[in-house]
Each structure stands twice: as structure tokens, then as C-alpha cells.
Amino acid sequence: MLVFIIRRLLQSMLVLLAVSIVVFVGLYAVGDPVDILLPDDANQSERQAAIRSLGLDKPLITQYGIFLGKAVQGDLGTSFVFNIPSIELILSRMPATLELALCAMVIAVLIGIPLGLWAGLKPGSAADEVITTGSILGFSLPGFWQGLMLIMIFSVWLGWLPSNGRGTTGTIFGIETSFATWDGLRHLLLPAINLALFKLAMMIRLTRAGVRETMPLDFVKFARAKGVSEPRIVLVHVLKNILVPIVTVIGMELGSLIAFSTVTETIFAWPGMGKLIIDSINKLDRPVVVAYLLVVTMMFILINLVVDLLYATLDPRVRLKGVSE
Amino acid sequence: MTEPLLVIRDLETHFDTRQGTVKAVNGVSLEVSRGEVLGLVGESGSGKSITGFSILGLLDPPGRIASGSIRFKGEELVGASQERMRRLRGKDIAMIFQDPMMTLNPVLRIDTQIIEAIQVHDKVSHKAAHARAAEALRRVGIPSPEERLKAYPHQFSGGMRQRVAIAIALLHSPALVIADEPTTALDVTIQAQIIHEMQKLCAESGTALIWITHDLAVIDSMGDRVAVMYAGRIVETGAVRDVIAAPAHPYTRGLIDSVPSRNHRGQRLAQIPGMAPSPLNLPQGCAFNPRCTFADAACQVVPDETDLDNERNGRRVRCFHPIRLAQETVS
């Protein structure tokens, strides 16, 4: 197991290196940040000074070399705009995004899997029709429109929930979070639902398909022939079998929720990483964008690693390379 | 004498499909006595497995018992509550399936699967159940059962998995075990072992056995009585020795003739002409009549099951022109 984890982490170093090159070169090609950073009336010498101070006067390969040299020491550059280390900037925004993503995923899993089971166990029933049709809506209505509708209904018409910001935050275990206060939770609810709807639909689909596939199998019938009760058959025999694809998707989707909840964060003015990256791209704040993408890459690598480790616990037939006897 | 262990009368199991109603089991009547081994023989689609699933109430939709009666130890099972059937399954009537690769849950350990089968019927501690599980594996000849209990199904061979399934089926010493082609998916050598094992274990505990198969040779080696099914009906019943020595129904005769071992080397294998009928479109009258060399106008009506004359011990046949030994010498 340990060998497997170490090998994977070493591989991830290569992935990070590749990503950093692609991102660095890509951003270089996009445009010159100096044009955006400096006021319009800046003169030539001010321009030169700025370029030098940002290190943009050196050739690309040297810039990358300097970046890499600092990166291995944990310094991913300093934001052009905020003038603080970009990694610090990202980490300061991370809790807001993490709590939003986790909350959305929990909603999707806790509601999606039971609904999927229900629909899958009674195919063709009225409940199945309603759940399946509902999941199509969740899939096909665009996220930004869902977000606007949520604000219109719950904030504007009903006035139940606030429509923007993070509200009052408290600290749990030294982490600043909206979970700690009632006001924070109220602020969290709408954006979390907005993010969750698509994932919820996906969970329903996935679970339903898995149940439909597994129920006719012989081992389910054999369990019945043993006299095992129906709840135990569904919750132990069937659910454990369909958990492998579900865990895979949860992992992938959790990653994408954390990394790409940009639209929702923008609509609900949620001060998370998604909003930061949009602002940084607009201002061509290279160090922040590079650092952000590296952080996101690392996060995906870690999530994939956890998912792979979960496979081995969920399905005994899975043997991880490097773990074999 | 008291009523036999299992009495099935005029069982009709139907599947309502878009193309029409499939009468998979079409008026089956049979009895099984305590400790008896009944071979239920027929081709694929003859309704033999569906008969087995009907007894346990394990029909998948759209299958349903349309009419008839299944009495087990005097208790009517048709229309019994789901909960009653669940308590019966595994405890009084157990089942073994055809494909041992598919009957055990791949993601649950063997001990989990055995212990849940114990605890669902007996209120015993986990520890006691574990000990019983190990004993059950030992009984079916699995070496070092304590270690094997911790294994997963994929770490067992097909024959071993079928032994585990047998161990599970026999956990509660049921009065009846329904074995649905349990050796079909296994190597011939393993087949023989499993058959021997099953015979021995059932004899020890006085368990009656319905052995569903398409292999007459298997029945010949282990059965007390045999019932031959064709297109949802039982066409012939009797003691195994009598039926195999002198089949009365033309279909049984055809089956026996097409067993390779009974033919001389180099000769063409005898075949039953034609194909098994589609269950959606059964021939008028006796379902075998289009393939039967003895068929005539009388066969346009479904024949009743009648006692074969000059036979005792429950020899019955569903044919207007049963083959008799005398007739055979003429033809």
C-alpha cells in the first residue's frame, strides 16, 4: 500500500511539472499584464521599471527557470495585483470554496443515492417517472439559470434566504467557516443547492442504473433464497456492488466542484477561489493563475489517489499495482 | 400415510409479455416425499427452473403464479405473505443455483454471506454463527475453513464456490433443497464430486432434493424418481430405473436415445426431429405432436396424465400413444 502511494505521488510530480510548463507558456502567449496593470498615462521609464520589477524582461525560458527554482522551495510567486504571495492568496480563499463544494456534494449524495435506489427498485412506477424526469431537468437546465431562479424564488419572492456573500463566519478547529453560525449556514444554502442540483441528477442516474443492473443478478436471488430481508439485500448486497462507480464519480465531481464552481461563486458573490481565478485571469495576474492551476492539479491527483485506495476497500477483486504480494 | 412433503397441483406460472402470455409452467402436478430425490428433467425453456422458482416464490416480474396450489408440509404457499415466504426460504426450503460464479456476492466475504444466512433465521451470537459457518464449510469438504471464511468469492474456484453455496443451502438442515442445474457449469470430475457430496449430505439429514437438470445421466446416477418436462408440462413421471429402462413418452424416449453414451461409436447420434416450440406459440394439443412419429388426429387435444397400465409406483404419462415394450418389438 505504502509503495503504491509513494509511487503515485512521485508520478504526480511529473504531472505537476508538465502542467506548470503548459500553463506558463500558455499565459505568456495570452497577453502582456503590464498593459493592464499600469495606468494609461504611465510613461516609458515607468513601464520599463514595472517590467523589470515583475521579472518580465527576461526570456521566457529564464522566467520559467526562476519560477521553478522558487516553486520547489514552496514559493509560487507573488500576485502582481495584490502584491502578496499567490499561494497565500489562494489558501485564504480556499475554505469558502471547500465548504461550498463539500456542502453541495453532501446534498447530492444524501438525496441522490436514496432517490436513485427508490427509482431503480421500482422501475416504471410513478415515483420512478417523477424522479427520473426530475433528474433530466437537473441535467439540462443551465447552472447559471438555476442559480438566478433560486435567488428570484427564495430571496426575492419569498425572502427566506440571503442571495449573496458568505454571511457571518465563525471558527471550528481554528478554521474560519460558515458552518459555525446560523447566518453563515443560511448564506451557504442557496449556492450549495445551485451547485448540488446537477450532481444530484447525476447521482440519481448513476444509482438507478446500477440498481437496475444489479437486481437481476443471481447473487441477489441467492440472497433472497437464503431468506435475507429485502432492506439488507438492497443496502448491503446491492449498494456495496454499485458503490465503485458512484465513488469514482463523487471523487471526480468533488474535484470539479472545488476547482470550477466559478459560475455559482460569481452569481452568489461567494468569496471563494472561483471568483479569485476569474478576477486574476481578467487582470492577467500570472502568478495567481499558475499557482491556482497547480493547486487544482494537485487536488485532483490527491482525490484520484483516495478514490483508487477506496476501490481496493470496496471491491476485493481490485488489486493495486505495487501492493501485490 | 401422511401427505408427502411437497404437493404441487395444476401449477400455472405465466409471464405477461408484450407479445402475449407465456405459460412457462402449464399445469404441473408433482409430489416429493421426505428424503426423496426427484429429478426434474427437460430442455432449456421447458419450465423446469421456473417450477423451482415458483415453489420458493422467487419469480422475477412479470412472472406470476396464475393458478394452482403448492403445499409444503401441508401449508399452502401460493398466496402466502412475503414475510412468510422469506422465513421459509433458506430455513425449510433452500435453493442452489446453476452458476456458482454468480451466486455469491463478489464484494462480500464468505463469512459475511454465511453468517447472515444463519442469523436471519436463528437468533445466535456472531461468535456462535461464525463457528457454525466454519463447521458448514468443513462438512462440504473445504480445507482449513477458518482461513477460507475470510476470503472473498473470487479467491475460490468454481467447484469450491458451489460447495460454499451447498454449505449455505444446508445450514438449517432444510426439509427440501431445490438444486437448479448445480453441476452444469462445472468440470465433469468436479460434477461427480459435487453430486456425490450432495447425495451424502441429503441422506444424512433426510433432506429431500429436487434436482433440476437437462442431463439424464446425472439423474440416472442419483435420483429416486424423475419427472420429464416438455413445454411447461410434465410428460412422464416414474421411478428413475423404470423410466430410463422403458420410456413411455416419445419425448422421453427421444431424450434417452440422444444421450451419446448409449449409442455405438461411429453411428450417427439419434436426434429428436424439429425444434422445441416457442413458448409464445405452442402447437395445438400435445405440444410435442409436430416432432412426434406416433402423432395422429387424437394428439390435437392435450392428453391427460394417466397411470401407465400394468405399472405401479406412480408411473404416469401424458400421451395418447405411450410406447410399450410390446409395441417396441413390433416397430
Side-chain angles (χ1 to χ4, degrees):
Chain A
M1 189 71 93
L2 200 62
V3 178
F4 174 78
I5 295 173
I6 290 170
R7 186 181 300 174
R8 282 287 292 267
L9 289 177
L10 287 177
Q11 283 170 359
S12 69
M13 293 298 140
L14 291 176
V15 176
L16 284 175
L17 190 69
V19 169
S20 71
I21 293 173
V22 171
V23 172
F24 212 86
V25 173
L27 279 174
Y28 188 84
V30 168
D32 189 351
V34 177
D35 294 337
I36 297 169
L37 288 170
L38 286 181
D40 288 340
D41 55 355
N43 62 36
Q44 197 57 30
S45 63
E46 281 172 331
R47 242 185 107 79
Q48 290 302 331
I51 289 174
R52 199 167 304 119
S53 76
L54 294 175
L56 298 175
D57 51 344
K58 302 185 181 70
L60 176 62
I61 191 89
T62 321
Q63 282 186 39
Y64 181 73
I66 293 169
F67 161 78
L68 202 62
K70 284 186 177 166
V72 292
Q73 298 165 45
D75 177 9
L76 292 175
T78 303
S79 164
F80 294 164
V81 179
F82 297 94
N83 204 25
I84 51 173
S86 51
I87 192 78
E88 211 170 278
L89 195 59
I90 290 164
L91 289 180
S92 74
R93 299 292 191 91
M94 206 180 224
T97 296
L98 281 182
E99 71 188 13
L100 188 60
L102 281 178
C103 195
M105 208 64 227
V106 167
I107 292 174
V109 168
L110 288 189
I111 299 177
I113 291 181
L115 285 183
L117 283 175
W118 187 11
L121 289 173
K122 303 215 180 310
S125 67
D128 177 33
E129 299 284 344
V130 171
I131 292 168
T132 313
T133 314
S135 77
I136 294 174
L137 288 181
F139 262 128
S140 48
L141 297 177
F144 72 89
W145 186 83
Q146 288 179 1
L148 294 175
M149 286 298 117
L150 285 172
I151 290 177
M152 197 158 89
I153 295 171
F154 292 101
S155 303
V156 179
W157 289 352
L158 298 171
W160 289 352
L161 295 165
S163 67
N164 64 59
R166 209 177 159 198
T168 326
T169 54
T171 46
I172 300 176
F173 304 124
I175 301 164
E176 195 190 347
T177 169
S178 296
F179 289 128
T181 65
W182 176 238
D183 184 57
L185 282 175
R186 275 163 44 90
H187 278 83
L188 184 62
L189 204 54
L190 279 188
I193 290 174
N194 183 209
L195 278 179
L197 280 176
F198 183 85
K199 314 297 173 196
L200 177 68
M202 194 178 251
M203 284 295 131
I204 289 175
R205 286 284 161 142
L206 204 60
T207 311
R208 183 181 182 275
V211 170
R212 297 270 282 138
E213 231 169 72
T214 312
M215 284 310 278
L217 294 183
D218 264 3
F219 68 77
V220 173
K221 220 170 196 184
F222 188 65
R224 288 214 179 96
K226 290 196 290 193
V228 176
S229 67
E230 208 61 17
R232 188 178 159 89
I233 287 178
V234 172
L235 296 178
V236 177
H237 286 260
V238 175
L239 196 57
K240 194 156 185 226
N241 264 280
I242 60 176
L243 230 39
V244 166
I246 290 179
V247 164
T248 314
V249 172
I250 289 177
M252 308 261 298
E253 294 302 319
L254 185 63
S256 78
L257 274 179
I258 296 170
F260 310 118
S261 51
T262 321
V263 172
T264 300
E265 288 190 2
T266 309
I267 293 175
F268 290 91
W270 190 262
M273 294 191 297
K275 208 159 167 330
L276 172 70
I277 189 67
I278 282 292
D279 295 344
S280 301
I281 290 172
N282 281 335
K283 294 195 174 120
L284 282 176
D285 195 347
R286 282 188 197 168
V288 179
V289 178
V290 173
Y292 176 78
L293 288 171
L294 289 180
V295 167
V296 164
T297 309
M298 197 61 217
M299 194 181 65
F300 268 95
I301 288 169
L302 286 178
I303 288 176
N304 272 328
L305 179 64
V306 170
V307 166
D308 280 349
L309 294 177
L310 276 176
Y311 279 171
T313 33
L314 287 174
D315 191 334
R317 289 165 295 186
V318 174
R319 282 280 151 266
L320 303 171
K321 265 186 216 149
V323 181
S324 55
E325 49 276 8
Chain B
M1 214 188 110
T2 51
E3 190 177 291
L5 183 68
L6 179 77
V7 181
I8 301 179
R9 284 283 166 264
D10 305 316
L11 180 69
E12 303 247 346
T13 301
H14 294 178
F15 288 76
D16 297 314
T17 67
R18 228 163 267 180
Q19 288 86 37
T21 299
V22 174
K23 296 179 177 175
V25 177
N26 195 355
V28 161
S29 299
L30 55 82
E31 290 102 51
V32 182
S33 308
R34 280 162 213 279
E36 183 182 46
V37 179
L38 171 75
L40 198 52
V41 183
E43 295 168 70
S44 308
S46 59
K48 54 194 196 306
S49 296
I50 300 298
T51 305
F53 286 126
S54 300
I55 297 169
L56 274 173
L58 279 181
L59 294 164
D60 285 324
R64 63 188 171 88
I65 296 177
S67 65
S69 143
I70 300 170
R71 295 175 68 82
F72 176 75
K73 289 183 175 170
E75 181 187 353
E76 180 60 55
L77 299 188
V78 176
S81 74
Q82 282 293 319
E83 181 57 18
R84 175 67 195 128
M85 289 308 290
R86 189 186 67 72
R87 285 176 185 284
L88 210 68
R89 290 197 282 260
K91 175 89 176 159
D92 301 290
I93 308 177
M95 186 151 186
I96 302 166
F97 290 67
Q98 175 170 359
D99 187 353
M101 301 313 228
M102 298 294 297
T103 46
L104 297 173
N105 192 326
V107 300
L108 297 179
R109 277 187 356 195
I110 298 293
D111 55 356
T112 314
Q113 304 197 42
I114 302 183
I115 288 168
E116 76 171 358
I118 295 172
Q119 289 187 323
V120 76
H121 295 299
D122 292 341
K123 292 281 156 273
V124 292
S125 70
H126 191 272
K127 208 177 158 200
H130 186 91
R132 263 175 75 179
E135 178 52 35
L137 287 192
R138 191 173 298 115
R139 266 180 73 195
V140 294
I142 290 180
S144 52
E146 283 294 341
E147 279 164 46
R148 301 305 272 162
L149 275 177
K150 293 196 199 79
Y152 285 94
H154 71 276
Q155 292 161 315
F156 285 70
S157 66
M160 281 297 178
R161 287 192 219 187
Q162 198 59 297
R163 281 170 198 268
V164 173
I166 291 169
I168 290 174
L170 296 178
L171 277 174
H172 298 279
S173 304
L176 174 66
V177 171
I178 300 168
D180 186 6
E181 309 206 31
T183 57
T184 307
L186 302 175
D187 290 348
V188 184
T189 45
I190 309 290
Q191 261 186 34
Q193 285 176 21
I194 296 276
I195 290 169
H196 174 75
E197 207 81 46
M198 276 301 283
Q199 257 181 317
K200 196 183 79 187
L201 292 168
C202 286
E204 276 171 13
S205 54
T207 299
L209 191 58
I210 297 180
W211 193 281
I212 299 170
T213 181
H214 58 253
D215 190 348
L216 273 169
V218 169
I219 295 304
D220 195 15
S221 68
M222 70 178 299
D224 298 317
R225 278 194 314 124
V226 61
V228 180
M229 280 190 82
Y230 186 78
R233 295 195 182 96
I234 291 183
V235 293
E236 181 163 5
T237 339
V240 169
R241 206 166 309 128
D242 298 343
V243 173
I244 297 217
H249 195 283
Y251 175 65
T252 318
R253 169 71 185 277
L255 272 188
I256 292 171
D257 282 349
S258 49
V259 174
S261 60
R262 295 182 63 88
N263 289 273
H264 296 294
R265 176 188 268 262
Q267 278 184 357
R268 274 190 81 85
L269 198 59
Q271 286 182 359
I272 303 174
M275 278 171 21
S278 153
L280 275 165
N281 188 19
L282 289 179
Q284 178 91 30
C286 171
F288 190 59
N289 80 58
R291 304 170 72 183
C292 182
T293 43
F294 303 97
D296 59 18
C299 301
Q300 293 302 308
V301 184
V302 179
D304 287 330
E305 272 186 89
T306 46
D307 291 327
L308 198 63
D309 43 5
N310 72 28
E311 288 282 353
R312 308 147 307 271
N313 54 25
R315 184 80 189 275
R316 287 198 305 251
V317 64
R318 199 189 263 278
C319 183
F320 292 113
H321 311 291
I323 307 161
R324 297 184 179 85
L325 284 173
Q327 199 179 356
E328 201 169 15
T329 49
V330 172
S331 62

